[in-house]
Amino acid sequence: MKIYRDCIDTEYSFLNAAPLSGSAETRSVSLKNNRLKQLLSAYIRRYRTRKALVSMPDWQLADIGLSAEQARQESIKPFWQP
């Protein structure tokens, strides 16, 4: 049985780079990079979660309170849609 995690694997460790420090412009870039990291993390998490839903048997879906149709509907959403 597969165990699904709702997190970023080590293959995406580049997203955890140290933030920049220095001038206001540098901090602004750092904040934008941080927002980009958060957005990419959310996209990856949604993609993986939706992919996992498709492969779950009915009894696991029932455990999390979803029907097969609800799981299918969720799984066909693009990763950028919440």
Side-chain angles (χ1 to χ4, degrees):
M1 179 169 87
K2 293 182 183 177
I3 298 174
Y4 300 101
R5 297 181 319 165
D6 196 23
C7 65
I8 306 301
D9 288 338
T10 54
E11 65 190 83
Y12 298 101
S13 61
F14 69 91
L15 294 174
N16 297 321
L20 302 173
S21 61
S23 69
E25 183 178 328
T26 305
R27 284 190 299 273
S28 174
V29 169
S30 178
L31 290 174
K32 289 177 185 176
N33 286 340
N34 190 36
R35 177 63 184 133
L36 180 61
K37 288 189 320 188
Q38 291 174 350
L39 187 61
L40 287 173
S41 295
Y43 285 174
I44 292 166
R45 186 174 46 254
R46 285 181 200 147
Y47 173 80
R48 288 183 176 174
T49 303
R50 290 170 181 169
K51 187 176 175 183
L53 281 174
V54 173
S55 63
M56 291 176 117
D58 288 339
W59 68 269
Q60 283 182 328
L61 291 172
D63 279 351
I64 60 172
L66 292 176
S67 68
E69 180 59 25
Q70 289 171 320
R72 189 189 69 75
Q73 287 294 323
E74 185 66 26
S75 70
I76 60 175
K77 283 183 177 177
F79 63 87
W80 59 86
Q81 280 188 338

